[in-house]
Amino acid sequence: MIMTDTKLKIGRREFTSRLIVGTGKYPSLEVMQAAHTASGAQIVTVAIRRINLDDASGKTLLDYIDRSRYTILPNTAGCYNAKEAVLTAQLARELLDTEFVKLEVIGDAQTLHPDPRATLEAAERLVADGFTVLPYIGDDPIVCRQLEEIGCAAVMPLAAPIGSGLGVCNPYSIRIIKERAGVPVIVDAGVGTASDAAIAMELGVDAVLMNTGIARARDPVLMAEAMRAAVEAGRMAYLAGRMEKRLYASASSPMESLIAAEKAGR
């Protein structure tokens, strides 16, 4: 049976790309632009609290993102409580005229792990205020379920700590989250190379968001292209369905078929 894919649907919007990219840590804004193009992404996330509005050139990060080509997903990076996150999201809505927001409420400055309680509080307030909320959260199936029940348009469990490049550290939790979710599951944070992205997609998640894995590569543009291919390959492998794992060898050309062919030829 041939499996046909569907589009990625987040809230009222649909996308064909399942790779979401960021804007931080690039060696230059020009390299960032080229990497975005190579990635094939349709969604670009921007940290609102880190946009420099006083640049001497008169340009900001937003001037390097073609809004006719990309959907901007503002995020609340740098917020450490629900009040800060809600205010940042509201500022983003005014600045960018979008109801989309990637909700981040950090609970620990060293690990950058999210604060589940504050994230739930902020998510509930933002959903009630008409936002399409995509919350960054730990790989906790219970909290992911609670965020969905609140009305979040997706859940974004981490693969590993932000910027660590460790890959998918707990695939079992990610699989459970995906099996139980009624909204898109987007793996966020920790993807370091193309194989990490493919593994995440093979688990059945709907998309992968990454920034450092591309921006800090020796060649960010080439890595962006590799990540694009990996996400696409991982998605196809998931749809195709992998073979079952076996403890012992199983010949590609079983002897039974050869013996049957010999008998038929006599």
Side-chain angles (χ1 to χ4, degrees):
M1 181 178 68
I2 298 175
M3 297 293 293
T4 56
D5 204 357
T6 57
K7 292 182 179 180
L8 171 63
K9 185 174 182 181
I10 303 175
R12 298 190 299 271
R13 308 189 194 192
E14 292 185 341
F15 306 92
T16 54
S17 172
R18 294 177 181 272
L19 174 58
I20 304 171
V21 294
T23 53
K25 302 182 180 179
Y26 283 92
S28 72
L29 291 172
E30 289 74 18
V31 171
M32 180 198 75
Q33 279 186 316
H36 287 174
T37 299
S39 74
Q42 295 172 303
I43 304 175
V44 174
T45 186
V46 175
I48 293 300
R49 291 167 67 93
R50 295 171 185 159
I51 294 177
N52 181 8
L53 298 176
D54 298 318
D55 191 277
S57 68
K59 284 189 173 184
T60 72
L61 170 65
L62 298 174
D63 293 306
Y64 290 84
I65 302 172
D66 182 356
R67 296 189 63 183
S68 68
R69 181 175 186 175
Y70 302 106
T71 294
I72 294 182
L73 174 63
N75 67 62
T76 63
C79 294
Y80 283 82
N81 58 62
K83 183 179 180 180
E84 285 182 352
V86 170
L87 177 59
T88 301
Q90 292 169 339
L91 290 172
R93 182 165 60 184
E94 293 300 316
L95 175 65
L96 300 172
D97 189 28
T98 180
E99 83 288 355
F100 258 32
V101 65
K102 179 192 171 190
L103 174 62
E104 294 184 34
V105 188
I106 301 302
D108 180 79
Q110 184 175 19
T111 65
L112 299 181
H113 274 245
D115 182 330
R117 181 179 297 179
T119 300
L120 285 163
E121 178 186 345
E124 189 166 19
R125 292 170 61 182
L126 290 172
V127 169
D129 196 21
F131 282 88
T132 299
V133 182
L134 290 75
Y136 161 69
I137 197 65
D139 55 353
D140 185 334
I142 306 303
V143 179
C144 285
R145 184 195 67 204
Q146 293 170 336
L147 287 165
E148 180 179 346
E149 290 172 347
I150 285 172
C152 291
V155 290
M156 305 181 74
L158 56 79
I162 292 174
S164 68
L166 291 172
V168 183
C169 291
N170 194 344
Y172 309 104
S173 287
I174 299 295
R175 284 183 60 186
I176 291 171
I177 291 168
K178 175 57 187 173
E179 286 176 3
R180 296 181 176 182
V183 295
V185 176
I186 303 170
V187 162
D188 182 12
V191 172
T193 191
S195 58
D196 299 334
I199 287 170
M201 294 303 298
E202 286 173 12
L203 292 172
V205 301
D206 299 277
V208 176
L209 188 152
M210 64 185 73
N211 181 66
T212 309
I214 295 176
R216 287 300 194 215
R218 286 195 300 272
D219 185 335
V221 179
L222 186 58
M223 183 60 82
E225 188 174 352
M227 293 295 195
R228 175 181 186 171
V231 167
E232 292 173 354
R235 178 66 178 179
M236 286 189 286
Y238 168 71
L239 293 174
R242 67 158 290 143
M243 62 167 284
E244 64 181 85
K245 294 183 179 180
R246 299 186 177 96
L247 181 61
Y248 297 101
S250 176
S252 299
S253 301
M255 290 302 297
E256 290 83 355
S257 60
L258 296 176
I259 295 170
E262 287 181 1
K263 289 182 178 179
R266 288 177 183 173

